[in-house]
Amino acid sequence: MVRDRIVEGFENAPHRSLYNALGLTKEELRRPIIGIVNSYNEIVPGHMNLDKITEAVKLGVAMGGGTPVVFPAIAVCDGIAMGHVGMKYSLVTRDLIADSTEAMVMAHGFDGLVMIPNCDKNVPGLLMAAARLNLPTIFVSGGPMLAGRVGGRKTSLSSMFEAVGAYSAGKIDDEKLREFEEKTCPSCGSCSGMYTANSMNCLTEVMGMGLAGNGTIPAAYSARIALAKRAGMQVMELVRKNIRARDVMTKDAIYNALTADMALGCSTNSMLHLPAIANECDVEFSLDIANEISERTPNLCHLAPAGPTYMEDLNEAGGVYAVLKELAKKGLINTDVMTCTGKTLGENIASAVNRDTGVIRDIENPYSPTGGIAALFGNLAPNGCVVKRSAVAPEMLKHTGPARVFNSEEEAIREIYKGGIRPGDVVVIRYEGPAGGPGMREMLSPTSAIAGAGLDKEVALITDGRFSGATRGAAIGHISPEAASGGTIAYVHEGDLISIDIPAHKIELLVSDEELALRRAQEKPLEKKNITGYLRRYAKMVSSADKGAIINIKE
């Protein structure tokens, strides 16, 4: 075992003396030492319960015959960071989490790992670290928030942001806005719709790195504590059988995750995180592959913000396994892959039941024959861009309109709030990409303002930044190459016509090649100044969005 190189032999007496300083006994040092990566903090609602999850995992590890040792990982709340400079520091934490976890594990020689994440960048960051370290590893997340209730209807964080848009447009008053504020987020947990955190927790389950229910059991349920104990016990089985992370996170498992992503209607952010995870696993991943899988995968779920159902409803309907069971009926997933249960995915889902076809559509009656996410290509995005197709109104699947051009999110929001955006417009927000932002901010505030003003079925928004999983409407992100790299989006002028055809996977700036060449010769991309600290290093190292905004990219 890994621990042997640190705790066995006379030469390791200094190491043992330091373990003595921790209060560990000789009996504990004879057992496999399991690192527990605890993402607990007191600022992120999705992480405030992770101390309880961690204690349950520790108990499970001890019951399974191991010695649990806890160390931390950071996490940012995207909702709190939204709409200001803090959002520049969200995506960039994914690599900090992966790198710092790698450093802790390599320095201290653990025999196995239990990862305890919950929110947006925390889950993929730890999946990247798991692949990089390749130890016996299992995940148990903090679980989703319960849906709020306003006026007898379920709500989620996207409802809150849209309420701000509605208030700005004069559609609701102070009292109604206050009601949304007080009732939208009623419990701990990752926000209650199929946003990025829940998307990635569900896909962790699909990839075989988490036990059944990891993606859907609400944070407030006692079943989440029981799940954590089982995860602690199960990591000891993985250690005994030497089943390692990359025995589970294979090419087929990652493609299974991409397939389930399309069926569930996950966040477009998965098109940043799955490539980053695949990169660590040496698995080929591209937007073309995503489109190929999307074209053959029916969309079975319309969870918020795409529809009126929430994570708690998906859990009651049978969870992720029930979705996989539907996909398996048509051979759309590989059921032979190994999972953290020590069994194949097919064995895991054999007894799964779809208890509510109003939440999980039968494979013969999908919302659409194609998946929830689509990649678009054209002269505006030669390397691609992405849209959550399942959250786009039918009338906006094809749209041509004049560009309204903004060089930052703040500029766009000011124009939207003062009523300057008209039906038919295509809002263009640029210089918000991985390097140009830097940090590739989410654009939930402008999309929610558009939706709150009732324009989500008449206005499109495109950006080299990205969108929250809470976004709905014709919101197209990840434009690649980005403006800061000299991508076409840098040369869009106010009033230029932009054509969007989501079913055909096309996005075009309706300007001649000659005109574009002239603009490229006469205009230079903007350069942002006074960028310091980690963001400065990140901007210099980060890849384009179509490659996953990766720092540790493998060529």
Side-chain angles (χ1 to χ4, degrees):
M1 288 189 290
V2 179
R3 57 174 285 285
D4 292 346
R5 71 169 186 254
I6 294 177
V7 301
E8 296 296 332
F10 75 91
E11 69 276 14
N12 286 324
H15 303 111
R16 292 194 295 273
S17 73
L18 291 168
Y19 280 118
N20 289 339
L22 293 171
L24 293 177
T25 66
K26 292 179 180 179
E27 291 79 6
E28 286 174 302
L29 292 181
R30 293 191 189 108
R31 300 172 180 173
I33 298 175
I34 306 300
I36 300 175
V37 187
N38 177 13
S39 304
Y40 168 79
N41 63 48
E42 294 184 340
I43 188 62
V44 182
H47 289 237
M48 63 180 284
N49 65 321
L50 297 192
D51 55 342
K52 307 295 189 300
I53 300 293
T54 299
E55 290 304 312
V57 168
K58 288 175 66 177
L59 184 57
V61 168
M63 287 191 293
T67 298
V69 179
V70 179
F71 65 91
I74 64 169
V76 163
C77 176
D78 277 25
I80 294 174
M82 193 73 65
H84 57 90
V85 68
M87 182 47 71
K88 293 179 183 288
Y89 287 87
S90 172
L91 179 60
V92 304
T93 65
R94 185 187 68 185
D95 295 87
L96 282 175
I97 291 162
D99 292 350
S100 60
T101 301
E102 176 192 359
M104 286 294 290
V105 173
M106 294 303 293
H108 298 104
F110 298 106
D111 297 304
L113 298 168
V114 181
M115 306 291 200
I116 307 178
N118 209 30
C119 287
D120 294 33
K121 313 310 165 305
N122 193 238
V123 183
L126 290 180
L127 284 166
M128 290 162 66
R132 198 180 296 175
L133 294 161
N134 199 29
L135 290 169
T137 305
I138 195 168
F139 277 65
V140 57
S141 77
M145 183 183 292
L146 295 171
R149 295 220 178 11
V150 175
R153 299 179 63 181
K154 289 184 178 180
T155 60
S156 59
L157 186 64
S158 56
S159 312
M160 183 70 253
F161 275 90
E162 289 179 16
V164 172
Y167 179 84
S168 176
K171 295 191 172 187
I172 62 173
D173 59 15
D174 288 333
E175 184 178 353
K176 194 65 177 180
L177 182 65
R178 194 175 305 111
E179 184 181 5
F180 271 98
E181 183 179 335
E182 293 172 353
K183 296 181 178 179
T184 292
C185 299
S187 75
C188 62
S190 48
C191 297
S192 56
M194 187 54 82
Y195 309 153
T196 307
N198 292 326
S199 295
M200 294 310 301
N201 281 320
C202 286
L203 298 187
T204 298
E205 195 175 325
V206 176
M207 280 188 284
M209 293 297 289
L211 299 176
N214 183 62
T216 60
I217 296 171
Y221 285 13
S222 298
R224 177 63 58 175
I225 299 296
L227 181 72
K229 292 176 185 175
R230 289 198 297 273
M233 290 186 280
Q234 185 58 29
V235 76
M236 298 310 301
E237 287 298 311
L238 297 177
V239 170
R240 281 187 275 272
K241 294 177 180 178
N242 196 30
I243 298 174
R244 296 169 178 259
R246 288 177 66 171
D247 297 328
V248 175
M249 284 195 286
T250 61
K251 176 180 177 179
D252 287 333
I254 290 172
Y255 286 8
N256 278 349
L258 187 52
T259 302
D261 182 308
M262 300 302 172
L264 286 163
C266 290
S267 164
T268 52
N269 280 317
S270 62
M271 292 298 104
L272 289 174
H273 301 322
L274 285 176
I277 295 162
N279 175 68
E280 298 290 349
C281 296
D282 295 321
V283 170
E284 180 187 3
F285 191 106
S286 70
L287 293 182
D288 286 320
I289 292 171
N291 268 350
E292 289 172 15
I293 290 177
S294 182
E295 286 305 297
R296 64 174 181 260
T297 305
N299 178 227
L300 304 180
C301 299
H302 267 191
L303 295 151
T309 55
Y310 293 78
M311 295 305 297
E312 61 196 56
D313 302 312
L314 179 60
N315 187 62
E316 293 301 317
V320 173
Y321 277 14
V323 175
L324 296 178
K325 186 76 171 284
E326 293 291 344
L327 294 171
K329 290 178 182 178
K330 289 200 171 183
L332 294 172
I333 56 168
N334 187 320
T335 57
D336 294 329
V337 294
M338 177 55 61
T339 72
C340 67
T341 66
K343 300 177 181 178
T344 67
L345 184 63
E347 291 175 298
N348 288 347
I349 67 173
S351 60
V353 176
N354 182 356
R355 302 189 192 96
D356 189 344
T357 55
V359 177
I360 305 169
R361 289 279 186 97
D362 185 277
I363 195 74
E364 301 294 344
N365 182 37
Y367 283 102
S368 67
T370 53
I373 292 176
L376 314 183
F377 297 87
N379 70 345
L380 190 54
N383 296 343
C385 56
V386 297
V387 61
K388 190 169 183 175
R389 173 167 45 188
S390 60
V392 178
E395 52 265 50
M396 288 299 293
L397 290 172
K398 293 184 180 182
H399 179 76
T400 299
R404 302 296 312 282
V405 183
F406 305 96
N407 289 331
S408 71
E409 178 185 6
E410 288 83 358
E411 288 182 21
I413 290 174
R414 285 195 293 270
E415 188 68 12
I416 295 167
Y417 281 163
K418 74 177 187 181
I421 302 302
R422 304 298 182 204
D425 284 349
V426 177
V427 176
V428 177
I429 304 177
R430 60 192 181 189
Y431 297 104
E432 293 287 6
M440 202 179 183
R441 287 194 286 181
E442 287 185 344
M443 303 290 171
L444 180 56
S445 293
T447 57
S448 296
I450 288 170
L455 294 171
D456 55 298
K457 295 180 180 180
E458 299 175 281
V459 169
L461 193 155
I462 67 171
T463 181
D464 53 7
R466 60 195 178 94
F467 295 110
S468 165
T471 289
R472 63 184 174 92
I476 300 165
H478 308 195
I479 296 283
S480 300
E482 62 178 291
S485 299
T488 306
I489 192 172
Y491 305 102
V492 178
H493 287 187
E494 187 83 7
D496 285 347
L497 289 179
I498 292 175
S499 172
I500 299 164
D501 190 336
I502 294 173
H505 302 284
K506 290 183 179 180
I507 183 165
E508 297 284 341
L509 176 64
L510 300 182
V511 169
S512 70
D513 293 343
E514 293 77 15
E515 173 62 19
L516 264 182
L518 183 62
R519 292 181 188 181
R520 288 182 185 277
Q522 295 178 345
E523 303 170 16
K524 290 184 178 180
L526 297 178
E527 290 187 17
K528 292 192 176 179
K529 299 179 180 179
N530 301 320
I531 299 171
T532 61
Y534 179 49
L535 289 183
R536 184 178 181 182
R537 285 182 285 132
Y538 182 88
K540 289 181 178 180
M541 298 169 66
V542 68
S543 77
S544 60
D546 62 293
K547 296 185 183 299
I550 299 165
I551 286 180
N552 185 39
I553 192 164
K554 299 178 183 179
E555 297 294 350

